[in-house]
Amino acid sequence: MPFMKFVKSLALPSEMLPPIIEEESHFDPETEHSAAKLGMWLFLATELLLFGGLFAAYAIFRAKYPEMFLEGSASLDVVLGTVNTVILIFSSYTVAIAVSAIQENRIRLVKWMLWITIICAAIFAVNKYFEYSYKISNGITPGTDIFYSIYYAATGVHMLHVFIGMAVLGVLLKKVNEGRYHKGNFTAIEIGGLYWHLVDLIWIYLFPLLYLA
Amino acid sequence: MSQSHSFDKSYLEDGTGFKSWFFTHDHKRLGVMYLWAIGIFFILAAIASFLIRFEHLTPGQTIVDAQTYNVLFTLHGAVMVFLFIVPGVAASFGNFLIPLMIGARDVIFPKLNLYSFWVYCAGAIIFLIALAAPADTGWTFYTPYSIDTGANVILVTFGVFVLGFSSILTGINFIVSIHKLRAPGLTWDRLPLFCWAAYATSLLQVLATPVVGITLLLLIGERYFGLGFFDPAKGGDPVLFQHFFWFYSHPAVYIMILPAMGIISEVIPVFSRKPIFGYKAIAYSSLAIALISFLVWGHHMFVSGQSKLINIIFSVITFAVAVPTAIKVFNWLWTMYKGSIELSAAMLYSLAFIFLFTIGGLTGLFLGALAADVHLHDTYFVVAHMHYVMIGGTVFGLFSAIHFWYPKMWGKMFDEFKAKIAFVLIFIGFNIVFFPQFILGTLGMPRRYFNYSPEFATLHQISTYGTWILGIGFIIMLYALLRPISNKAEANPYKSASLEWAMPSPPPTLNFEKIPTLTASTYDYGTKLEQEA
């Protein structure tokens, strides 16, 4: 998982540089912080383009087969989808609290918020599991028609991002427990939070496109 | 990793053995390892191309059967594109040079840089495993054939997907490094043009690669689950695959060529002893090329049945790409005008670049013209055009870089005379291989065909003989480079004003003991580059 490596790569830059670096203006904490954020935003841009392909496919096929999309959309479970949307938006809120709390050195609050975020992600995944298995038991699989193919492809790729996000948050939580992050070193939590917001944001677009069409 | 690095030792002497290289964070070592990796894949894919040409010595079967032939051109194309030329100049010389040129100790995310290299290795290994049941789709993986074929498409496309991560992460590293790590005084309008080119390349890598990523994921999903997006029987559209594919792969050709253009912009002023002409025009034209390149992908599909209006729009925008490209060529020529030109091996490759790339670029306009393209589409004309741009352009640029920065990279000097002999053979051989292919294409010889009509035999044979001259040229070049004549290189043998030459050859691991402060452009020949100690 390159993203994990990305996060890790930011945590240990001083290890490979000799003390002389600290006297110089480059690679100072300020530069590192802003560089990490710029790098993360660029990475988020790549994620948007990755999903951009799916959104483009959605637009093309919806224009081609409007009835298929209306029928398919009506067959999806709006209640479950709405619950998942609320859960993800709430988890974005908790991760945002974690990012601001670490800057005030409120470590206990950070731990709580990261835990809640991870649990929200897990609930999302469980809901999605029930949703998938219900569909599959009714014989609706990828390839049933174009709408369901898009549904499975888009939510599947998104689900993958939820799992990666859980792993990222888990690593952050572990390091918070080890006392690695504090007021003076919170970059990793901030960019991890950015990633989680992206996972949330993608879903905010997927939900109306698929469930409320 | 050793904790302290001495500034008396070069990066090559700072630690020996496998681990000191494979776990290094040093951008220079990573650049060197990329160079070796792409070099090996270049040789592998080149051998495939020699076999392809040998097969065409006679009509019908010469040495391999039709299926093996399909595998060979797929292998050649896929390895050349995804393992050699896309990472190519950017990953090797970009890594080696960018921190040196911007006055930094390393790229901004050194560990991420190492991981990018590992991801590249992983992608390469997946690629090599896939050779067990090699794909026969051509490097473009066009549907519906890539869905139906029994060959191992999934593994190859997964390899490309993994390589894409390497490309994206390297791109992010370069962009952020250039933003955040420029030495004091190194303003954007003093930034070396290679860095400008690498910056534009990185933008393309970051913005285009994810799209091919999702495309290849969907192709894998198509084969595994029968998603149907690209399958007309399920209401999908095979042309959609082509749109997705070229949305990446057209910008990707600029990922291949832009860093090479950056190299030419560095080499020409040094061996003309003149400041670069039109610095800003060259810098901004790199960005213009990057921008326009996103809007021309449809010119690969003029005969696919897409709308006529779209065809016209894509054609017009395709012509527009020629403008920033021509701006570069004219500025290079003006840089040489009344200069004191020294024909070193590096300079010869750069001059050949201008000559061959111009041919490649102008024949691209033939293909961008709708009426001409209907005739020339999928013929050898396209093959010749593409190779004039990719070999005449990128590979000659890479060779120029290998010769030019050889003293800096290895701390040794090669034999200019042998290198020049190699250059002459490569230049002549290349033209003998590919110029006849323009003629073959206009006569109607389709690309990728195993067999051909007897009237094409002469031109095919000339082309094949050319590969032998080309091959001998490559071998002499390798010999000249692997057998240095001196083990001691000066810090600045070519009297360049650029920052990377202001340090010992080869540089120490952390490059700069003191971060330099720049007070002038690095192209100001005649004014002395000042550095505050």
Side-chain angles (χ1 to χ4, degrees):
Chain A
M1 268 173 282
F3 178 76
M4 293 300 303
K5 291 166 181 170
F6 183 56
V7 171
K8 282 186 194 162
S9 77
L10 300 164
L12 299 165
S14 55
E15 166 196 281
M16 52 83 50
L17 295 168
I20 190 167
I21 282 299
E22 285 160 18
E23 297 162 18
E24 294 291 340
S25 62
H26 293 279
F27 283 87
D28 59 311
E30 185 63 28
T31 307
E32 265 169 17
H33 178 72
S34 66
K37 279 210 321 202
L38 178 59
M40 192 62 207
W41 279 106
L42 286 166
F43 187 78
L44 296 188
T46 72
E47 292 282 11
L48 286 184
L49 280 151
L50 182 87
F51 281 96
L54 290 164
F55 287 128
Y58 178 95
I60 290 161
F61 288 118
R62 179 160 184 180
K64 210 170 170 184
Y65 309 111
E67 288 86 13
M68 180 203 283
F69 275 64
L70 290 180
E71 271 172 39
S73 176
S75 79
L76 296 183
D77 190 335
V78 183
V79 177
L80 214 49
T82 310
V83 169
N84 262 351
T85 308
V86 173
I87 287 171
L88 269 197
I89 292 177
F90 178 70
S91 72
S92 238
Y93 176 63
T94 54
V95 90
I97 293 177
V99 173
S100 76
I102 191 75
Q103 297 176 55
E104 296 162 4
N105 257 349
R106 296 165 71 184
I107 306 294
R108 257 176 72 87
L109 183 61
V110 174
K111 286 180 194 170
W112 270 105
M113 288 302 132
L114 288 178
W115 263 120
I116 294 173
T117 311
I118 292 169
I119 290 166
C120 284
I123 298 172
F124 180 92
V126 170
N127 280 347
K128 208 87 208 112
Y129 169 78
F130 283 123
E131 212 181 324
Y132 282 153
S133 48
Y134 178 70
K135 280 273 168 300
I136 290 168
S137 66
N138 283 355
I140 295 170
T141 57
T144 299
D145 68 21
I146 293 276
F147 175 81
Y148 289 114
S149 287
I150 293 215
Y151 164 76
Y152 278 109
T155 56
V157 176
H158 178 260
M159 203 58 231
L160 186 68
H161 283 78
V162 172
F163 287 135
I164 295 170
M166 283 172 76
V168 169
L169 295 170
V171 170
L172 290 176
L173 184 61
K174 180 170 164 279
K175 289 196 177 175
V176 171
N177 285 331
E178 289 166 4
R180 297 275 285 275
Y181 300 129
H182 49 83
K183 202 173 168 182
N185 177 15
F186 60 89
T187 307
I189 294 190
E190 189 169 2
I191 66 168
L194 277 175
Y195 184 80
W196 190 252
H197 289 314
L198 176 97
V199 174
D200 182 25
L201 189 70
I202 299 282
W203 179 258
I204 288 174
Y205 281 88
L206 285 181
F207 172 63
L209 286 176
L210 293 170
Y211 291 78
L212 307 178
Chain B
M1 282 303 299
S2 60
Q3 288 289 316
S4 64
H5 298 284
S6 150
F7 283 95
D8 307 326
K9 266 193 298 189
S10 82
Y11 79 99
L12 292 171
E13 295 158 339
D14 191 9
T16 51
F18 175 77
K19 275 178 84 176
S20 78
W21 283 84
F22 201 67
F23 293 92
T24 185
H25 294 156
D26 180 10
H27 67 98
K28 296 181 291 302
R29 287 195 165 201
L30 287 165
V32 166
M33 285 193 289
Y34 273 118
L35 189 60
W36 276 108
I38 63 167
I40 289 164
F41 286 117
F42 176 78
I43 292 170
L44 176 72
I47 289 170
S49 72
F50 281 86
L51 293 174
I52 293 167
R53 283 312 323 164
F54 203 90
E55 169 53 40
H56 282 319
L57 203 53
T58 59
Q61 181 164 342
T62 311
I63 47 168
V64 295
D65 59 27
Q67 178 60 23
T68 313
Y69 173 81
N70 291 347
V71 168
L72 277 177
F73 78 67
T74 304
L75 179 73
H76 169 71
V79 171
M80 276 294 188
V81 169
F82 296 110
L83 287 169
F84 166 66
I85 208 164
V86 165
V89 182
S92 59
F93 281 94
N95 259 316
F96 187 83
L97 289 173
I98 288 172
L100 299 182
M101 283 181 160
I102 63 176
R105 294 222 161 98
D106 207 324
V107 293
I108 184 81
F109 308 126
K111 275 187 118 178
L112 181 68
N113 206 16
L114 174 63
Y115 295 140
S116 309
F117 179 70
W118 286 352
V119 172
Y120 171 82
C121 292
I125 289 167
I126 295 170
F127 233 86
L128 293 178
I129 293 171
L131 288 180
D136 56 355
T137 56
W139 74 276
T140 51
F141 310 118
Y142 267 18
T143 54
Y145 185 66
S146 58
I147 300 171
D148 300 335
T149 176
N152 203 341
V153 177
I154 288 178
L155 211 51
V156 179
T157 45
F158 184 66
V160 175
F161 182 79
V162 171
L163 289 168
F165 269 110
S166 169
S167 200
I168 288 172
L169 297 177
T170 302
I172 290 177
N173 225 332
F174 288 174
I175 291 175
V176 181
S177 297
I178 292 173
H179 268 283
K180 300 289 178 185
L181 292 185
R182 278 172 292 126
L186 187 59
T187 51
W188 282 96
D189 55 6
R190 286 178 184 163
L191 189 65
L193 289 164
F194 178 76
C195 296
W196 271 104
Y199 185 85
T201 309
S202 303
L203 279 178
L204 291 176
Q205 284 177 319
V206 168
L207 296 177
T209 314
V211 180
V212 82
I214 191 70
T215 310
L216 297 176
L217 274 189
L218 291 180
L219 180 62
I220 293 171
E222 197 87 26
R223 278 184 74 99
Y224 256 129
F225 303 114
L227 289 179
F229 296 148
F230 309 130
D231 185 354
K234 290 179 176 165
D237 186 353
V239 178
L240 181 65
F241 178 85
Q242 298 185 23
H243 278 289
F244 276 179
F245 183 80
W246 289 111
F247 185 84
Y248 163 76
S249 292
H250 199 78
V253 307
Y254 296 96
I255 293 176
M256 304 167 193
I257 195 70
L258 275 170
M261 290 172 158
I263 285 165
I264 308 307
S265 307
E266 297 295 331
V267 172
I268 297 263
V270 171
F271 291 110
S272 304
R273 313 309 306 160
K274 269 184 69 193
I276 188 93
F277 185 89
Y279 170 89
K280 280 192 177 166
I282 296 181
Y284 296 154
S285 63
S286 290
L287 294 182
I289 290 172
L291 177 72
I292 301 174
S293 73
F294 275 106
L295 308 172
V296 297
W297 79 89
H299 67 211
H300 294 271
M301 288 171 281
F302 283 159
V303 299
S304 71
Q306 65 184 357
S307 93
K308 278 181 189 143
L309 176 67
I310 284 288
N311 275 350
I312 292 167
I313 293 170
F314 276 127
S315 177
V316 170
I317 307 177
T318 302
F319 279 101
V321 187
V323 176
T325 315
I327 285 174
K328 282 183 188 290
V329 170
F330 286 121
N331 280 306
W332 293 327
L333 295 179
W334 238 257
T335 303
M336 288 190 287
Y337 179 66
K338 288 194 173 172
S340 170
I341 293 172
E342 185 195 335
L343 291 178
S344 67
M347 184 64 166
L348 285 171
Y349 281 110
S350 285
L351 294 177
F353 174 102
I354 297 178
F355 179 72
L356 299 174
F357 181 77
T358 303
I359 295 176
L362 291 176
T363 50
L365 293 182
F366 293 28
L367 295 165
L370 287 173
D373 185 65
V374 173
H375 178 65
L376 296 173
H377 189 91
D378 267 350
T379 67
Y380 265 58
F381 192 89
V382 178
V383 177
H385 153 69
M386 182 179 78
H387 283 87
Y388 263 82
V389 179
M390 290 299 125
I391 299 183
T394 308
V395 175
F396 274 65
L398 175 69
F399 287 174
S400 183
I402 289 175
H403 289 84
F404 182 60
W405 281 287
Y406 186 90
K408 187 53 64 185
M409 196 174 252
W410 307 106
K412 295 174 180 178
M413 301 299 283
F414 61 89
D415 185 352
E416 281 278 343
F417 180 71
K418 286 197 202 92
K420 284 177 193 171
I421 292 177
F423 164 78
V424 171
L425 289 173
I426 290 173
F427 182 77
I428 293 172
F430 167 78
N431 280 291
I432 295 177
V433 178
F434 290 105
F435 201 83
Q437 297 189 3
F438 279 125
I439 305 168
L440 277 173
T442 49
L443 293 174
M445 172 73 209
R447 68 191 287 200
R448 291 180 169 173
Y449 274 32
F450 173 65
N451 202 353
Y452 56 84
S453 322
E455 70 257 32
F456 294 135
T458 313
L459 285 168
H460 266 301
Q461 280 158 8
I462 293 172
S463 180
T464 301
Y465 298 145
T467 59
W468 301 347
I469 301 174
L470 193 58
I472 294 169
F474 284 152
I475 291 168
I476 296 177
M477 188 189 83
L478 266 182
Y479 180 80
L481 292 174
L482 295 177
R483 287 282 182 108
I485 51 167
S486 152
N487 279 329
K488 198 85 198 97
E490 294 168 46
N492 192 0
Y494 303 128
K495 304 284 171 284
S496 164
S498 188
L499 208 49
E500 77 271 20
W501 298 102
M503 63 179 71
S505 305
T509 302
L510 288 170
N511 306 341
F512 300 95
E513 198 161 2
K514 284 274 181 190
I515 299 296
T517 301
L518 275 86
T519 53
S521 153
T522 56
Y523 297 102
D524 284 354
Y525 290 96
T527 57
K528 194 155 165 54
L529 175 78
E530 285 178 86
Q531 282 180 44
E532 287 176 14

